[in-house]
Amino acid sequence: MEGGKPSLVLVYQAVQALYHDPDPAGKERASVWLGELQRSMYAWEISDQLLQLKQDVESCYFAAQTMKVKIQSSFYELPPETHNALRDSLLSHIQNLKDLSPIIVTQLALAIADLALQMASWKGCVHTLIEKYNNDISSMPFLIEILTVLPEEVHSRSLRIGANRRTEIIEDLAFYSSTVVTLLTSCVEKTGSDEKMFIKVFRCLGSWFNLGVLDSNFMASNQLLMVLFQVLQRDETSTNLHEAASDCVCSALYAIENVDTNMALALQLFQGVLTLETAYHMAVAREDLDKVLNYCRIFTELCETFLETTVRSPGQGMGDLRMLELLLICAGHPQYEVVEISFNFWYRLGEHLYKINNAALHTIFRPYIQRLLHCLARHCQLDPDHEGIPEDTDDFGEFRMRVSDLVKDVIFLVGSMECFSQLYSTLKEGNPPWEVTEAVLFIMASIAKSVDPENNPTLSEVLQQVVLLPETVHMAVRYTSIELVGEMSEVVDRNPRFLDPVLNYLMKGLREKPLASAAAKAIHNICSVCRDHMAQHFQGLLDIARSLDSFALSTEAAVGLLKGTALVLARLPLEKIAECLSDLCAVQVLALKKLLAEESTNGKSADPTVWLDRLAVIFRHTNPIVENGQTHPCQKVIQEIWPVLSETLNTHQSDNRIVERCCRCLRFAVRCVGKGSASLLQPLVTQMVSVYQVYPHSCFLYLGSILVDEYGMEEGCRQGLLDMLQALCMPTFQLLEQPNGLRNHPDTVDDLFRLATRFVQRSPVTLLSSSIIIHIIQCAIAATSLDHRDANCSVMKFVRDLVHTGLANDHEDDFEVRKQLIRQAMEQHGQQLITQLMHSCCFCLPPYTLPDVAEVMWEIMLFDRPTFCRWLENALKGLPKETSGGAVTVTHKQLTDFHKQVTSAEECKQVCWAIREFTRLFR
């Protein structure tokens, strides 16, 4: 902090301002200042003093939370000789403040737990804590709080204690686990019916179950297990206690995932949960939704745990199918939130049965799935007094989408055709109310695509009947019937006679505001699947596209309609395409011209993105088959449109969002005609480079990568593209060299290395012989530590492809030159690259990035194994061997084993596996 250690008075004032200043700006200032204080060295001493003074809840909470944050993130600041004093002072604080506020106790308990995990010299911390406070009933609440958070913090992301220390701690906790359970049992006995203590005990027990260190035979015969189920069976249990007990049972069930090795405990839990059915019915009768949801969570967790047993031996022992009955009872509850809890189990059951693919098993489980589908169809019904179309975006709309996904995943057990026919017959034979009809159509739409459309009279009949629905039926029924028609586009494709009636039906919907977007989406589906049949209707599609804004369409639906139109356009005879494309683009081009004209007359800037997105979708999906030597039919149209796009880009050059949409539009235009866009290359690159100097939008780098991909193989374009790269790199490096530049501009990193990678793929010698390559490699080395999925992936791909260029003998004339250039680059940067990669893996990157890192190392090793071995050895020597708490991070043997595993690997996945295991030592 500037100006040395602040006074306690000043800290108090800041805390008061943070909580009580009526002015938001004052609160914000206090928050920033206190954040700075937390990051400084003074925070240790100041928070210790605040806790000692115990002036009020706010200052003590700030101090306790600061202690926790400092121990988590800055423990290395303290010399080892101060660790014991810190521990003793924290224990004295938690004792003195135990009655002030539970949230302060939790923060201090976390601080103590995080200290115990990092402080290697504090041996047997569980034992010492229980010894110290066991006999004082008033200390029980905070002792149990520490014992609750300790197992939770073992796998905390904010503590990098490493796999060696973590293993040591878990063994230690397992050793003392029965002592903890005995303490909890005696607590329950001593405090009798103190509900708060029961909640604490159950939370603590759940935490030890979650860590997986409790002895299952010891737990199977333990008093606490009986108490848990008694609490859950009792009708008068309060909501909070019920939730704590439910959480604990769920944790126990999760902990015995491997049933065969935990037989005794598995049996106790299995029998215990089956006794809760009566209590569930009681909660339903009392309309106590919280308890109903808790029971459903427990029943679902039971089914998840015994899933493998149930599939292996259905109806026998712990494969008892009463478990599924419990879930179906829950599915019958009128609130849809209850059945939703079990979705993951049904999905997993379906997945298991699909993989095993055993007809006898399918027969056993089919009736359960049929009953589930029946319940789901009922839950999908809208309220009888609902008006208008179904809502997609509210909670119920999202629930229906999840139902649709689940039905698609389990339908194979019942048979799509059989289910579809049954659903249809309920509509055909009965005369159900509208909300039942709508829900049935909704489920039919979910499975329509999985029904075989070949010679299927039922499907044909459904389609015929749906398009005859009168306009007088409920709006929601019409809406869902339109969705069903869209899902049946395969049937239309096999039966072209339906095309006219279907299109007429959808056109009616398109003209009505509530139905327009659904109808547009259905037309888009029909266009995608029936491209050839739709060619005769192209004029009709063009008419719709010309007057798109006269329909009440969402942006997405309008773009979808244009996509459908473009897909059909690409199937027209080549000589017609240019004229039709020009027609299709004309509306959008005129709109853009109008905006530009308005701008120049009244200086007001209007948003062109709607029109740019529509042009982009047209270019993207107009992909006719063009033979070699033929001129691309879209070339002329794109040349005519270029001046308008160029002017739009210029006008809005400072607005990242609009520039991004311009670049996207140009990207698809270039992709559409490929080499046919050569006449645009010069003016486009000139404009990109000149705007980028002033406004470095990363999308220009992306567009550059598209140009390199299309033209990089052309001898005459290579120098121009290299000039473009160099011109774009200068402002890019300036941006990324600012403080935190890489972290603040991940999109720029991503797009820069996409561009560089395209160059490596299309014209490696041009890039490798240039002066810019050294700067790009140095930038890549710096960016390997960037924890951003897309950016990191691009950087790794660039380095991998770069090295691979020197390996891939593709019989091109330039192979020897490439190999020599890569050798020079590796001699210059190899050691630095490997050292940085190892550091990034151990300290910066999340595990999902490691396969990409492994690929880079693998390529370097293939290129020059002996030198790589030396580089890796040097990199490993530089890694820290101990944590600041005195624990061993990595042993000499672990270092040599890792070096051997990597350097003797015979395939890339062995390198990946070795890196994954090794980096756990630093997490």
Side-chain angles (χ1 to χ4, degrees):
M1 293 194 86
E2 303 288 321
K5 180 182 157 190
S7 70
L8 282 182
V9 177
L10 195 57
V11 179
Y12 267 123
Q13 285 172 346
V15 172
Q16 287 304 307
L18 180 67
Y19 287 102
H20 303 295
D21 193 329
D23 174 23
K27 269 190 186 345
E28 182 56 32
R29 275 197 302 278
S31 172
V32 170
W33 188 83
L34 289 168
E36 250 174 68
L37 170 63
Q38 274 189 336
R39 284 187 291 277
S40 75
M41 273 295 289
Y42 307 117
W44 296 103
E45 192 186 340
I46 284 174
S47 39
D48 190 51
Q49 289 171 332
L50 288 174
L51 290 166
Q52 235 155 354
L53 289 167
K54 195 176 167 180
Q55 194 153 340
D56 54 25
V57 173
E58 283 107 339
S59 62
C60 286
Y61 176 73
F62 169 73
Q65 196 242 357
T66 300
M67 271 296 186
K68 179 198 74 175
V69 169
K70 291 299 282 184
I71 289 171
Q72 277 180 352
S73 59
S74 311
F75 188 55
Y76 60 87
E77 291 176 354
L78 295 181
E81 60 273 14
T82 61
H83 293 173
N84 283 340
L86 174 63
R87 175 192 63 194
D88 298 342
S89 109
L90 285 171
L91 289 172
S92 102
H93 290 320
I94 200 167
Q95 176 123 38
N96 295 334
L97 297 164
K98 61 178 186 268
D99 302 321
L100 188 59
S101 158
I103 57 170
I104 292 171
V105 171
T106 300
Q107 292 298 313
L108 286 171
L110 282 165
I112 292 163
D114 290 342
L115 176 65
L117 296 176
Q118 293 181 91
M119 186 173 154
S121 59
W122 186 1
K123 303 282 182 208
C125 64
V126 171
H127 184 67
T128 50
L129 288 167
I130 291 178
E131 286 272 284
K132 187 169 173 133
Y133 300 112
N134 185 14
N135 297 320
D136 173 17
I137 196 79
S138 72
S139 301
M140 267 307 146
F142 76 74
L143 173 61
I144 292 179
E145 187 66 30
I146 297 172
L147 293 174
T148 303
V149 297
L150 186 64
E152 289 170 354
E153 288 295 287
V154 171
H155 292 291
S156 161
R157 287 276 170 86
S158 39
L159 289 180
R160 299 186 77 100
I161 55 176
N164 287 335
R165 174 68 179 150
R166 198 169 281 115
T167 305
E168 187 187 337
I169 288 160
I170 289 172
E171 284 170 5
D172 199 43
L173 294 182
F175 183 77
Y176 291 112
S177 62
S178 50
T179 318
V180 174
V181 175
T182 309
L183 170 82
L184 296 177
T185 313
S186 78
C187 253
V188 165
E189 285 164 1
K190 280 182 196 163
T191 54
S193 58
D194 176 1
E195 182 180 303
K196 277 191 175 149
M197 186 52 87
F198 266 69
I199 291 174
K200 281 187 183 304
V201 166
F202 290 159
R203 266 194 61 223
C204 186
L205 184 61
S207 172
W208 285 74
F209 268 127
N210 285 336
L211 189 61
V213 291
L214 294 179
D215 179 306
S216 68
N217 290 330
F218 175 72
M219 285 312 301
S221 55
N222 190 273
Q223 182 68 28
L224 274 181
L225 213 54
M226 286 171 40
V227 175
L228 259 178
F229 284 111
Q230 282 164 2
V231 164
L232 288 167
Q233 284 159 354
R234 273 209 308 272
D235 184 34
E236 58 275 10
T237 299
S238 74
T239 305
N240 289 347
L241 180 56
H242 198 276
E243 182 165 11
S246 302
D247 288 344
C248 188
V249 170
C250 288
S251 296
L253 284 164
Y254 187 74
I256 57 154
E257 197 78 73
N258 191 346
V259 176
D260 300 337
T261 56
N262 297 292
M263 269 317 215
L265 180 56
L267 190 61
Q268 290 298 320
L269 289 167
F270 178 81
Q271 291 169 341
V273 175
L274 288 181
T275 64
L276 299 178
E277 186 183 339
T278 318
Y280 168 83
H281 288 301
M282 197 66 199
V284 174
R286 295 201 185 284
E287 296 187 3
D288 188 336
L289 185 61
D290 288 330
K291 284 188 182 175
V292 167
L293 291 167
N294 286 337
Y295 288 125
C296 188
R297 276 195 302 135
I298 294 172
F299 298 155
T300 302
E301 203 61 66
L302 179 78
C303 290
E304 294 253 16
T305 295
F306 292 99
L307 172 63
E308 308 240 343
T309 318
T310 313
V311 173
R312 202 171 50 223
S313 51
Q316 295 160 28
M318 285 188 273
D320 194 328
L321 295 170
R322 276 185 301 169
M323 292 188 289
L324 298 189
E325 291 290 347
L326 287 176
L327 280 198
L328 288 171
I329 291 170
C330 291
H333 190 279
Q335 301 286 94
Y336 69 83
E337 293 89 347
V338 181
V339 69
E340 196 167 15
I341 290 172
S342 64
F343 277 16
N344 190 53
F345 165 74
W346 294 112
Y347 167 72
R348 278 187 60 206
L349 175 66
E351 198 176 34
H352 255 68
L353 293 171
Y354 187 76
K355 276 183 188 158
I356 296 170
N357 195 13
N358 173 325
L361 272 181
H362 288 194
T363 310
I364 293 171
F365 288 100
R366 182 173 297 128
Y368 294 95
I369 299 295
Q370 281 171 328
R371 285 162 61 194
L372 174 70
L373 291 174
H374 187 75
C375 290
L376 292 176
R378 202 178 60 250
H379 279 298
C380 283
Q381 289 173 19
L382 298 162
D383 281 336
D385 55 1
H386 177 92
E387 289 181 5
I389 63 169
E391 283 295 330
D392 280 348
T393 49
D394 61 1
D395 289 347
F396 185 54
E398 283 180 12
F399 167 75
R400 285 181 25 133
M401 291 323 295
R402 288 194 65 196
V403 168
S404 176
D405 292 341
L406 178 60
V407 170
K408 287 183 176 87
D409 285 328
V410 297
I411 195 63
F412 72 93
L413 280 164
V414 180
S416 312
M417 188 57 228
E418 196 180 322
C419 182
F420 197 83
S421 303
Q422 275 179 355
L423 287 165
Y424 177 52
S425 64
T426 58
L427 298 184
K428 196 162 99 173
E429 288 153 22
N431 186 12
W434 76 263
E435 67 276 12
V436 175
T437 303
E438 191 278 335
V440 168
L441 290 171
F442 177 76
I443 302 288
M444 285 169 76
S446 303
I447 57 176
K449 274 195 177 137
S450 58
V451 181
D452 182 7
E454 278 299 330
N455 310 327
N456 195 321
T458 308
L459 285 179
S460 306
E461 190 184 332
V462 168
L463 202 50
Q464 272 172 315
Q465 292 305 314
V466 167
V467 298
L468 293 174
L469 274 176
E471 289 175 34
T472 50
V473 297
H474 192 287
M475 189 62 84
V477 175
R478 290 180 65 198
Y479 180 88
T480 305
S481 71
I482 286 172
E483 288 196 321
L484 173 58
V485 170
E487 291 296 306
M488 294 177 75
S489 42
E490 291 276 352
V491 185
V492 180
D493 193 42
R494 308 289 161 93
N495 302 278
R497 65 179 191 283
F498 290 139
L499 193 55
D500 284 358
V502 162
L503 287 175
N504 288 336
Y505 182 66
L506 296 177
M507 277 308 298
K508 276 186 207 161
L510 196 62
R511 293 192 188 94
E512 285 187 54
K513 189 177 177 181
L515 305 175
S517 291
K521 191 178 165 193
I523 293 172
H524 163 205
N525 278 356
I526 304 263
C527 289
S528 304
V529 175
C530 319
R531 288 169 75 171
D532 293 325
H533 298 309
M534 283 297 292
Q536 53 177 325
H537 291 279
F538 182 74
Q539 196 51 49
L541 289 171
L542 195 55
D543 293 341
I544 295 173
R546 280 191 186 130
S547 53
L548 210 49
D549 292 308
S550 64
F551 304 107
L553 296 175
S554 67
T555 313
E556 188 190 356
V559 166
L561 251 178
L562 288 174
K563 175 184 169 182
T565 309
L567 287 171
V568 176
L569 167 63
R571 292 293 168 95
L572 297 182
L574 274 191
E575 65 278 3
K576 281 197 169 172
I577 290 181
E579 182 194 343
C580 292
L581 178 66
S582 190
D583 274 356
L584 190 55
C585 295
V587 180
Q588 344 302 328
V589 175
L590 281 172
L592 286 173
K593 282 182 174 166
K594 192 174 163 203
L595 292 183
L596 291 167
E598 282 171 10
E599 181 127 13
S600 60
T601 53
N602 61 19
K604 272 195 184 159
S605 175
D607 187 351
T609 50
V610 170
W611 313 106
L612 292 169
D613 287 351
R614 289 181 184 181
L615 279 176
V617 81
I618 295 168
F619 295 145
R620 184 178 189 172
H621 297 286
T622 305
N623 40 20
I625 298 156
V626 182
E627 303 294 329
N628 269 347
Q630 287 181 308
T631 305
H632 198 291
C634 306
Q635 193 175 317
K636 181 167 160 283
V637 181
I638 285 170
Q639 279 168 351
E640 287 166 4
I641 293 175
W642 158 248
V644 181
L645 293 177
S646 171
E647 200 181 332
T648 304
L649 179 57
N650 252 345
T651 305
H652 298 278
Q653 56 182 279
S654 61
D655 186 325
N656 183 53
R657 189 177 64 91
I658 296 176
V659 171
E660 227 170 49
R661 301 304 237 291
C662 274
C663 285
R664 189 168 169 276
C665 189
L666 287 162
R667 162 189 156 197
F668 290 124
V670 170
R671 286 286 195 216
C672 174
V673 292
K675 306 274 182 298
S677 59
S679 60
L680 300 187
L681 198 54
Q682 191 66 49
L684 176 54
V685 168
T686 308
Q687 185 171 5
M688 281 164 59
V689 168
S690 85
V691 175
Y692 193 78
Q693 307 297 320
V694 191
Y695 300 107
H697 304 299
S698 75
C699 51
F700 285 126
L701 299 171
Y702 188 88
L703 187 52
S705 74
I706 302 291
L707 296 175
V708 172
D709 194 36
E710 291 289 343
Y711 293 99
M713 310 282 273
E714 303 285 310
E715 198 55 55
C717 299
R718 285 176 170 173
Q719 188 54 45
L721 290 170
L722 181 65
D723 294 342
M724 171 192 80
L725 174 68
Q726 289 178 314
L728 292 172
C729 275
M730 288 313 148
T732 305
F733 292 149
Q734 282 172 357
L735 187 70
L736 299 179
E737 281 161 8
Q738 293 169 359
N740 283 331
L742 293 164
R743 178 165 299 234
N744 295 341
H745 304 284
D747 293 350
T748 301
V749 176
D750 182 14
D751 292 332
L752 170 68
F753 286 101
R754 275 173 193 265
L755 170 55
T757 304
R758 287 291 192 206
F759 238 111
V760 168
Q761 291 164 346
R762 291 286 175 256
S763 183
V765 176
T766 313
L767 179 62
L768 286 164
S769 320
S770 72
S771 56
I772 196 80
I773 186 65
I774 289 183
H775 304 288
I776 294 177
I777 292 174
Q778 283 170 340
C779 184
I781 293 172
T784 54
S785 61
L786 187 59
D787 173 10
H788 181 281
R789 191 181 285 261
D790 294 341
N792 195 282
C793 184
S794 283
V795 173
M796 296 300 172
K797 183 165 172 43
F798 164 71
V799 182
R800 193 205 83 90
D801 284 10
L802 185 74
V803 180
H804 190 72
T805 301
L807 275 168
N809 187 358
D810 39 22
H811 308 294
E812 296 282 333
D813 307 340
D814 61 358
F815 175 61
E816 286 306 322
V817 181
R818 289 194 324 241
K819 194 171 172 181
Q820 191 50 39
L821 288 166
I822 294 294
R823 189 170 299 288
Q824 285 169 10
M826 292 313 290
E827 280 166 7
Q828 251 178 311
H829 306 286
Q831 179 67 70
Q832 191 193 352
L833 174 61
I834 297 296
T835 304
Q836 181 68 38
L837 279 174
M838 280 315 304
H839 183 272
S840 298
C841 285
C842 294
F843 301 108
C844 312
L845 297 179
Y848 67 75
T849 59
L850 298 181
D852 294 342
V853 176
E855 284 200 6
V856 172
M857 291 207 179
W858 175 248
E859 290 291 334
I860 296 172
M861 190 157 69
L862 289 182
F863 187 75
D864 184 348
R865 202 174 279 250
T867 313
F868 172 79
C869 292
R870 199 172 64 246
W871 287 339
L872 182 61
E873 188 181 339
N874 292 337
L876 294 176
K877 280 178 184 163
L879 292 172
K881 313 294 183 282
E882 258 193 18
T883 66
S884 44
V888 174
T889 305
V890 56
T891 63
H892 180 70
K893 183 178 184 316
Q894 284 169 327
L895 286 170
T896 50
D897 285 354
F898 171 67
H899 188 275
K900 189 177 171 196
Q901 282 166 350
V902 173
T903 53
S904 62
E906 287 174 9
E907 49 182 346
C908 185
K909 67 177 175 200
Q910 293 171 313
V911 176
C912 182
W913 182 83
I915 293 175
R916 189 160 275 169
E917 286 303 303
F918 183 73
T919 53
R920 285 192 179 132
L921 300 170
F922 297 87
R923 284 186 202 288

